[in-house]
Amino acid sequence: MLFATLEHILTHISFSTISIVITIHLITLLVRELGGLRDSSEKGMIATFFSITGFLVSRWASSGHFPLSNLYESLIFL
């Protein structure tokens, strides 16, 4: 139960962070003067990477196999 809750939280964090990062990236493409947003975009990508990595590790611990064994889990990784 703990791993399922952790997976759920990490999945939501990663996808909400990546949607915010994409929005920030689109804003910086439209308005070139906002250089500070580029730094927050890079930090958001790092946070998303660690969130997805934590999700995969928790899936690995709960299921007992590395979570890239089927197509669905491989697509989450990509």
Side-chain angles (χ1 to χ4, degrees):
M1 182 69 180
L2 176 69
F3 286 119
T5 305
L6 183 65
E7 287 178 20
H8 183 75
I9 290 170
L10 288 173
T11 302
H12 283 289
I13 288 173
S14 65
F15 285 114
S16 61
T17 305
I18 200 68
S19 66
I20 292 169
V21 166
I22 289 172
T23 305
I24 289 172
H25 187 69
L26 289 175
I27 290 171
T28 57
L29 286 176
L30 295 174
V31 182
R32 300 267 182 199
E33 292 84 23
L34 300 174
L37 285 179
R38 186 172 303 275
D39 294 334
S40 61
S41 176
E42 291 174 2
K43 290 177 184 175
M45 288 299 291
I46 292 170
T48 302
F49 169 74
F50 284 119
S51 178
I52 291 175
T53 303
F55 166 71
L56 288 174
V57 167
S58 68
R59 171 73 63 96
W60 187 6
S62 67
S63 67
H65 71 280
F66 193 64
L68 300 178
S69 61
N70 61 21
L71 183 61
Y72 169 71
E73 293 170 339
S74 299
L75 289 175
I76 288 177
F77 180 72
L78 292 176

